[in-house]
Amino acid sequence: MKDLNKKITDFHYGRFSFFIAAVFILPSIVYYAVISIKNFLYKTGLLKEKKTDIKVICVGNLTTGGVGKTPVVIEIANHFSNMNKKTVILSRGYKGKLNNKNVNLIKTYDEILTDDPFLSGDEVNLIAHKTKNAAVITCADRVKGAKFAKEKLNAEILIMDDGFSNRKIYKDVNIILVDSKKMFGNNFVLPLGPLREPVCEIKRADKIIIVNKENDSHSTAEEFIQKFKIPYVNCNIIRDKIYNIKTNEPLTDKKPAVAFSGIGQPEQFFRSLSADFDIKETVSFDDHFSYDINTIKMLNSKLNETGAQILLTTEKDAVKLLKFDEADKIYAVSIKADFFVDDICK
């Protein structure tokens, strides 16, 4: 499955395959037709977005995973919390085991109630830990989630983690993230391409954040975005710190390492490390991978095989590894979204 996912991702972002094209072209046509009809119905008013009694800020993207939503959501949430605004983050709780047909209160404004990434989902757990004075809830029904945030938490700001394609709820501010390097891949919709919606639907965005994860130029993405005359800001994903996930001690010297991750775009993560570390080997797992003890033992064996001294991974992966005693040589790479939040939240 991992090899198939990698081949599909490679196809989405530039490596052509006649087999994948032949298999996925018909489903993509059907998907495109369904999405287009849905958006037409909302545009003409035959379907209406439900307005709620709370300011809704949606942080989404047109493509599938790995654009940088989580650090951006954290930065925006902390921005409003620092302004003493009662802020709630609403997530679908992807890959979490909680019943998200209901509203799950993961964190109040000052206390984490469900501190288990396997229940809440890895991204939700990370958001809960890295936001200050912000509540976190999960629910697949965004309207129900917004109502809960207003009535039960007296929220002033609701930040939707993902949900641009969810037209059932009205958003006061629609923010789209665009990867400065990968942009929209081969420009096809799923499953032939990485797009959840056609590129032209970017016109529904109120603001755009161009995300740079590898110190690349923003210029190509900027030139494209400027055609739509939508306000945008540039965002750099920068390394904050690297620390041992069991002891929280910071890494003080750049030891030879094996890097691993279960995220949407692992190659970008690995490249960001290779500039500063002697990376002996990289190991990729499926996005939102569920780690077990055998996986940890396999990763530890890589240290002996390669001569590396430490294992490096993302914080999204790290939250799922804390429960393993054998994870004592794993270091998490903490990242931060660096952009002018005031410009995007006005």
Side-chain angles (χ1 to χ4, degrees):
M1 178 61 72
K2 182 181 70 174
D3 291 339
L4 177 59
N5 288 340
K6 185 179 186 308
K7 288 179 181 178
I8 293 172
T9 299
D10 289 344
F11 177 80
H12 285 174
Y13 291 99
R15 186 175 297 176
F16 187 79
S17 164
F18 283 104
F19 173 76
I20 293 176
V23 170
F24 289 146
I25 188 167
L26 184 57
S28 286
I29 292 172
V30 173
Y31 180 90
Y32 179 87
V34 171
I35 291 294
S36 298
I37 292 170
K38 181 191 77 171
N39 287 331
F40 174 78
L41 293 175
Y42 277 103
K43 183 178 180 179
T44 57
L46 294 173
L47 292 178
K48 295 185 181 297
E49 296 174 330
K50 174 71 174 178
K51 288 194 175 184
T52 57
D53 296 325
I54 186 174
K55 182 173 182 177
V56 177
I57 299 174
C58 176
V59 181
N61 55 294
L62 291 181
T63 57
T64 54
V67 181
K69 285 193 307 294
T70 300
V72 168
V73 166
I74 291 167
E75 198 68 20
I76 293 175
N78 285 334
H79 168 79
F80 283 112
S81 293
N82 290 336
M83 295 172 61
N84 294 317
K85 296 284 188 181
K86 289 189 174 180
T87 304
V88 176
I89 298 107
L90 169 61
S91 172
R92 188 160 55 99
Y94 184 66
K95 289 288 187 177
K97 297 187 181 300
L98 294 174
N99 180 6
N100 287 324
K101 291 181 179 179
N102 304 316
V103 178
N104 302 293
L105 180 58
I106 306 301
K107 177 191 175 188
T108 66
Y109 292 113
D110 52 13
E111 181 185 6
I112 297 177
L113 303 179
T114 303
D115 195 5
D116 185 340
F118 294 95
L119 289 177
S120 64
D122 47 20
E123 291 172 346
V124 172
N125 184 264
L126 183 60
I127 289 170
H129 277 276
K130 302 202 76 169
T131 50
K132 299 176 182 178
N133 305 317
V136 181
I137 60 178
T138 62
C139 187
D141 186 333
R142 307 307 175 90
V143 176
K144 184 189 290 187
K147 185 177 180 181
F148 180 95
K150 181 64 178 179
E151 295 180 355
K152 303 298 183 183
L153 301 172
N154 198 27
E156 299 172 86
I157 304 288
L158 182 75
I159 301 173
M160 280 180 58
D161 176 20
D162 208 358
F164 180 74
S165 296
N166 187 325
R167 302 295 303 270
K168 293 182 180 180
I169 184 171
Y170 175 81
K171 297 103 172 178
D172 295 276
V173 182
N174 242 329
I175 302 171
I176 286 291
L177 274 59
V178 177
D179 189 302
S180 64
K181 185 172 185 176
K182 291 181 175 291
M183 292 184 63
F184 309 108
N186 61 17
N187 291 302
F188 288 107
V189 297
L190 291 166
L192 190 61
L195 287 168
R196 298 173 177 182
E197 299 201 41
V199 173
C200 63
E201 292 299 328
I202 201 171
K203 64 182 180 291
R204 299 197 336 256
D206 299 298
K207 305 285 180 68
I208 294 174
I209 300 178
I210 301 175
V211 181
N212 183 346
K213 292 185 280 188
E214 298 185 72
N215 295 319
D216 293 313
S217 169
H218 294 91
S219 59
T220 302
E222 284 184 24
E223 289 175 6
F224 180 83
I225 297 304
Q226 286 168 358
K227 298 176 183 177
F228 293 91
K229 295 181 169 45
I230 300 171
Y232 69 90
V233 298
N234 291 319
C235 170
N236 293 315
I237 302 298
I238 59 176
R239 191 182 302 159
D240 191 14
K241 61 181 178 178
I242 301 177
Y243 59 93
N244 185 286
I245 68 170
K246 303 295 285 186
T247 66
N248 287 321
E249 293 179 0
L251 183 65
T252 55
D253 55 345
K254 295 174 180 178
K255 300 174 181 178
V258 169
F260 70 96
S261 70
I263 59 175
Q265 303 291 344
E267 296 83 5
Q268 292 178 317
F269 172 64
F270 297 147
R271 284 195 296 266
S272 71
L273 294 174
S274 62
D276 298 314
F277 287 87
D278 178 12
I279 303 298
K280 298 295 187 181
E281 187 173 340
T282 62
V283 182
S284 298
F285 301 102
D286 289 338
D287 195 13
H288 302 281
F289 183 73
S290 183
Y291 292 91
D292 59 24
I293 187 59
N294 290 327
T295 309
I296 308 303
K297 289 179 178 179
M298 180 274 289
L299 290 168
N300 281 331
S301 71
K302 295 286 185 182
L303 297 177
N304 293 328
E305 294 171 9
T306 63
Q309 297 179 40
I310 59 172
L311 293 159
L312 293 174
T313 194
T314 71
E315 284 191 301
K316 193 177 88 168
D317 292 287
V319 296
K320 295 179 288 188
L321 298 165
L322 282 169
K323 68 178 184 178
F324 298 105
D325 292 336
E326 294 82 358
D328 57 306
K329 292 185 179 179
I330 297 177
Y331 286 75
V333 181
S334 173
I335 58 174
K336 178 181 173 64
D338 182 24
F339 64 104
F340 293 107
V341 185
D342 280 337
D343 290 346
I344 209 68
C345 294
K346 290 178 182 177

